[in-house]
Amino acid sequence: MRRRQCVPMMALCLLLMGCGAGEESAAEALRQPYREMTGCAMTAEVRLSGEDGTVGDFTLRCEYDPEGVTTVEVLAPETAAGVIAEIDGEELTLRYRDLCLGAGTVSSEKLSPMECLPELMAAAREGWLLSESRETVGEEPCLRLTLDRTGEEGGKIVSTLYLREGDGIPVYGEIAVEGTVVLKAAFTDFTFGETCDTVKENTD
């Protein structure tokens, strides 16, 4: 009786396992600087699509501190320019010049434009990886990551981040709450904090 040759099938299985591990390591490699950073600074064009059909466009500058107070400043539109949000854990405070207004506890299921960039950074650091793929945004080759986080009230928040291959700089991001995309962000510049190499992207 001839003995069955199982070596080719075993080799194929090992090859497929190796490919899966490689894909996973690519995503983890791009996410690692976000987990290790002391902070970062970024500017982005943010669009809000409300459940009631309202649409708002903002230019926001964010100084993100994963362990302390994150600040987000409105650069545009002119009617809101100068408004600054300070986010410390779950507490959001809006400040304009010398006027401070308590905005209450942040509800992750009711994200505002001011929370868009901090939420995307939190997803990059802590989110559960649902899927990944390679896609092009404009002319930039990116790794597309879909990341899941649970909101403060138990709702599902899914962030999609397009990180530029090679250096992991964010190019574009979206946030969906319970399956509906409510926030979109097109990054115009980004700089890591002291623990990582400083990199910057300008789309001009």
Side-chain angles (χ1 to χ4, degrees):
M1 179 180 294
R2 296 179 59 186
R3 179 175 300 176
R4 293 182 178 179
Q5 299 296 320
C6 298
V7 174
M9 183 60 70
M10 293 177 61
L12 177 60
C13 290
L14 290 174
L15 177 61
L16 292 175
M17 291 174 62
C19 290
E23 289 295 325
E24 181 179 1
S25 64
E28 292 305 308
L30 290 185
R31 294 180 69 187
Q32 195 58 34
Y34 294 91
R35 292 172 173 151
E36 296 178 351
M37 69 181 177
T38 57
C40 61
M42 69 204 92
T43 304
E45 305 295 331
V46 174
R47 167 162 285 198
L48 166 70
S49 299
E51 294 180 354
D52 58 356
T54 59
V55 176
D57 293 306
F58 305 86
T59 302
L60 302 179
R61 179 67 178 172
C62 176
E63 300 283 342
Y64 178 74
D65 185 343
E67 303 297 334
V69 178
T70 291
T71 61
V72 182
E73 181 180 2
V74 180
L75 304 181
E78 185 176 352
T79 54
V83 174
I84 296 176
E86 295 180 345
I87 303 172
D88 182 5
E90 298 178 4
E91 196 68 22
L92 173 66
T93 301
L94 298 179
R95 176 162 54 86
Y96 180 71
R97 294 179 181 174
D98 296 329
L99 178 65
C100 291
L101 299 173
T105 300
V106 172
S107 171
S108 295
E109 287 77 4
K110 298 178 181 178
L111 294 171
S112 75
M114 306 295 270
E115 299 165 71
C116 177
L117 301 180
E119 178 62 29
L120 288 173
M121 293 300 99
R125 288 168 53 82
E126 308 164 1
W128 180 265
L129 182 63
L130 298 177
S131 66
E132 60 181 289
S133 60
R134 285 181 168 83
E135 298 184 20
T136 300
V137 179
E139 297 181 354
E140 297 283 3
C142 297
L143 193 65
R144 178 184 184 273
L145 305 182
T146 303
L147 304 154
D148 180 19
R149 273 171 39 94
T150 301
E152 294 296 324
E153 297 182 2
K156 187 174 184 179
I157 300 175
V158 175
S159 296
T160 302
L161 262 176
Y162 293 78
L163 303 180
R164 190 168 62 193
E165 289 194 57
D167 57 17
I169 293 300
V171 175
Y172 180 75
E174 292 183 348
I175 297 176
V177 177
E178 300 299 337
T180 301
V181 175
V182 293
L183 292 165
K184 301 177 181 179
F187 292 84
T188 55
D189 68 75
F190 185 92
T191 308
F192 277 116
E194 297 177 354
T195 58
C196 302
D197 294 333
T198 299
V199 286
K200 187 172 182 178
E201 177 194 14
N202 289 306
T203 58
D204 296 336

